[in-house]
Amino acid sequence: MMIEIRPATEADLPQLLVLFGEFNPDDPPLSRATAEAVWARIAAQQGRTVLVAEGEGVVAGTADCVVMPNLTRGGRSVLFVENVVVAGAFRRQGVGRRLMDAAVRVGEEAGCYKVQLLAADDAYVHSFYAACGFEPLAQGFRRYVEASAR
């Protein structure tokens, strides 16, 4: 199967939403207007690249990459990777590995000194990232916040 890794475009948005629905099935779907508004903010953000893996004419996977400028490490940035998702029909075919290799290249091209991500507390997911060359070197913390009314 031929897989192409490329930056996402607005035309990919409907398929990305289907993919994210598979990733987080309990999330309520976004309205088209909300999704388009969020995409516009993402597309305008300097240092942000949403990668897609396209295979057989569909979005088979995605990884969201954000370059964060940094005042340490000689001013070298950090690349954060979020929302790594591979559609169920494309898993265990190298799509995730290709996405992660492309994410690392985004970091290298941006002059980043590291690529960082958080992973679900799942042995399979941990073994996947280890196979991609990532090491569990730190304890991650997160705190979810309630959305405020605007």
Side-chain angles (χ1 to χ4, degrees), residues 3-131:
I3 295 289
E4 176 190 7
I5 307 294
R6 60 173 175 76
T9 67
E10 186 174 359
D12 296 312
L13 187 55
Q15 290 188 63
L16 284 170
L17 294 174
V18 169
L19 191 59
F20 292 136
E22 187 177 325
F23 183 51
N24 290 309
D26 294 333
D27 282 359
L30 296 178
S31 71
R32 182 162 182 90
T34 298
E36 288 173 352
V38 171
W39 178 260
R41 291 197 321 265
I42 289 169
Q45 190 175 6
Q46 187 174 0
R48 182 100 178 248
T49 305
V50 177
L51 297 171
V52 293
E54 184 177 31
E56 301 175 7
V58 299
V59 173
T62 188
D64 194 346
C65 304
V66 180
V67 175
M68 185 181 82
N70 181 32
L71 289 171
T72 66
R73 302 294 180 157
R76 293 178 67 196
S77 296
V78 176
L79 181 79
F80 288 93
V81 181
E82 264 294 320
N83 296 330
V84 177
V85 186
V86 175
F90 291 91
R91 290 189 187 138
R92 304 195 65 81
Q93 298 178 44
V95 174
R97 169 72 73 121
R98 302 252 334 261
L99 279 165
M100 293 311 299
D101 289 346
V104 170
R105 280 193 304 279
V106 168
E108 290 170 344
E109 291 169 5
C112 295
Y113 82 95
K114 72 178 175 182
V115 176
Q116 186 164 297
L117 56 87
L118 291 174
D121 191 16
D122 177 291
Y124 172 78
V125 172
H126 292 188
S127 65
F128 165 73
Y129 287 119

